Amino acid sequence: TFDALHAGLDRLTRAELRIVAMLADNLTSAQIADKLGVSVRTVQNHRAHVCEKLALSGANRLLQVALENKDRILAIIRADDAL
């Protein structure tokens, strides 16, 4: 449900949130890895953990969630930065 998804977003780590935000900018795992200075495998692991935490399945579901919730994800990141 919508509420469960939003609660799930609040439980993501900062690294996971950053990756989901970059997915919403239509970046590939390779592009994200390059920007963050990590391996593609690390990005793929974070993506898999996000899918597990949010109970997402399907190849494009994570991208869909990222696009639909980009503003919320960015707000969580900004709030974390303010601490």
Side-chain angles (χ1 to χ4, degrees):
T1 67
F2 181 78
D3 290 334
L5 178 64
H6 273 224
L9 290 174
D10 290 334
R11 289 191 307 267
L12 297 180
T13 67
R14 180 169 179 74
E16 291 166 345
L17 287 167
R18 289 178 68 198
I19 287 170
V20 175
M22 289 183 195
L23 289 172
D25 287 335
N26 291 311
L27 297 180
T28 66
S29 290
Q31 291 168 321
I32 294 169
D34 186 55
K35 282 187 173 283
L36 296 178
V38 299
S39 72
V40 173
R41 184 73 183 138
T42 297
V43 173
Q44 292 169 338
N45 284 337
H46 282 303
R47 290 177 66 157
H49 291 148
V50 170
C51 288
E52 289 174 18
K53 289 179 180 182
L54 301 181
L56 303 176
S57 60
N60 296 314
R61 186 67 176 117
L62 179 56
L63 178 58
Q64 180 183 5
V65 167
L67 292 169
E68 291 173 354
N69 294 280
K70 184 176 180 180
D71 291 340
R72 172 107 173 114
I73 292 162
L74 293 175
I76 295 168
I77 292 170
R78 280 192 301 272
D80 187 49
D81 286 346
L83 295 178

